[in-house]
């Protein structure tokens, strides 16, 4: 009988804790917050995308082509990003998701170029800019 009276209170306490944790995810430089971000990953800004499911915070970065190989290697090692592949007329990684072990928040990452005639990795320095997008989720993506 006593437990039945406590259950509604326990539920409310648990719900309040979940909301407080979710409120901690804010737009910003996720890669700097998550670890030691190399200087060649240049933060461009962040905004919440209200048009997408779960309304993620989208942080954008750019990398000069001369550092793209280093950036890809860093993000593969640190976050598990798949190797970039050439599809049609651009280089692109498949979208990769992971959960931060410290906070439990979910993230998704992609690295890509715009259209380019560059067909080999050795020629990546000829590409002016690679784009990296990291989505932060207060809820599961």
């Amino acid at each position: 009988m006593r437990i039945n009276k406590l259950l509604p209170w326990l539920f409310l306490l648990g719900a309040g804790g979940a909301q407080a944790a979710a409120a901690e995810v804010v737009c910003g430089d996720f890669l700097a917050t998550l670890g030691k971000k190399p200087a060649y990953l240049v933060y461009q800004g962040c905004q919440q995308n209200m048009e997408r499911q779960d309304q993620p915070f989208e942080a954008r970065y750019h990398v000069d082509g001369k550092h793209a190989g280093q950036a890809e290697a860093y993000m593969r090692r640190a976050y598990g990003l798949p190797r970039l592949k050439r599809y049609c007329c651009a280089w692109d990684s498949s979208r990769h998701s992971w959960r931060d072990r410290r906070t439990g928040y979910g993230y998704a990452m992609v690295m890509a170029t715009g259209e380019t005639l560059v067909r080999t990795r050795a020629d990546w320095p000829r590409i002016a800019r690679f784009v990296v997008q990291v989505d932060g989720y207060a809820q599961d993506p």
Side-chain angles (χ1 to χ4, degrees):
M1 184 80 168
R2 233 182 201 176
I3 292 176
N4 287 341
K5 289 182 181 180
L6 289 176
L7 283 177
W9 289 106
L10 291 173
F11 176 75
L12 288 173
L13 286 173
Q19 288 173 353
E24 292 179 27
V25 175
V26 294
C27 236
D29 185 346
F30 295 136
L31 296 180
T33 301
L34 291 168
K36 296 178 181 177
K37 179 187 74 164
Y40 51 75
L41 278 165
V42 181
Y43 176 66
Q44 297 295 297
C46 183
Q47 65 183 24
Q48 187 171 19
N49 189 335
M50 303 302 277
E51 303 291 319
R52 287 181 49 202
Q53 184 175 349
D54 293 326
Q55 302 172 339
F57 297 108
E58 299 172 344
R60 294 186 59 86
Y61 303 81
H62 78 252
V63 178
D64 291 339
K66 65 184 175 184
H67 296 294
Q70 292 170 282
E72 179 195 41
Y74 165 75
M75 290 183 293
R76 289 187 71 208
R77 185 176 57 256
Y79 304 107
L81 183 75
R83 276 175 65 91
L84 274 69
K85 295 182 181 176
R86 182 162 168 80
Y87 299 100
C88 169
C89 44
W91 289 89
D92 192 354
S93 70
S94 56
R95 187 171 172 82
H96 175 66
S97 298
W98 78 95
R99 186 166 304 283
D100 181 25
R101 291 179 185 154
R102 294 172 295 154
T103 64
Y105 297 132
Y107 295 90
M109 173 187 285
V110 67
M111 180 176 175
T113 67
E115 281 191 32
T116 179
L117 297 175
V118 172
R119 295 181 174 273
T120 67
R121 289 172 162 272
D123 287 334
W124 277 7
R126 291 183 29 218
I127 299 172
R129 182 163 293 167
F130 285 67
V131 176
V132 176
Q133 181 168 317
V134 179
D135 298 339
Y137 293 89
Q139 302 170 7
D140 288 335

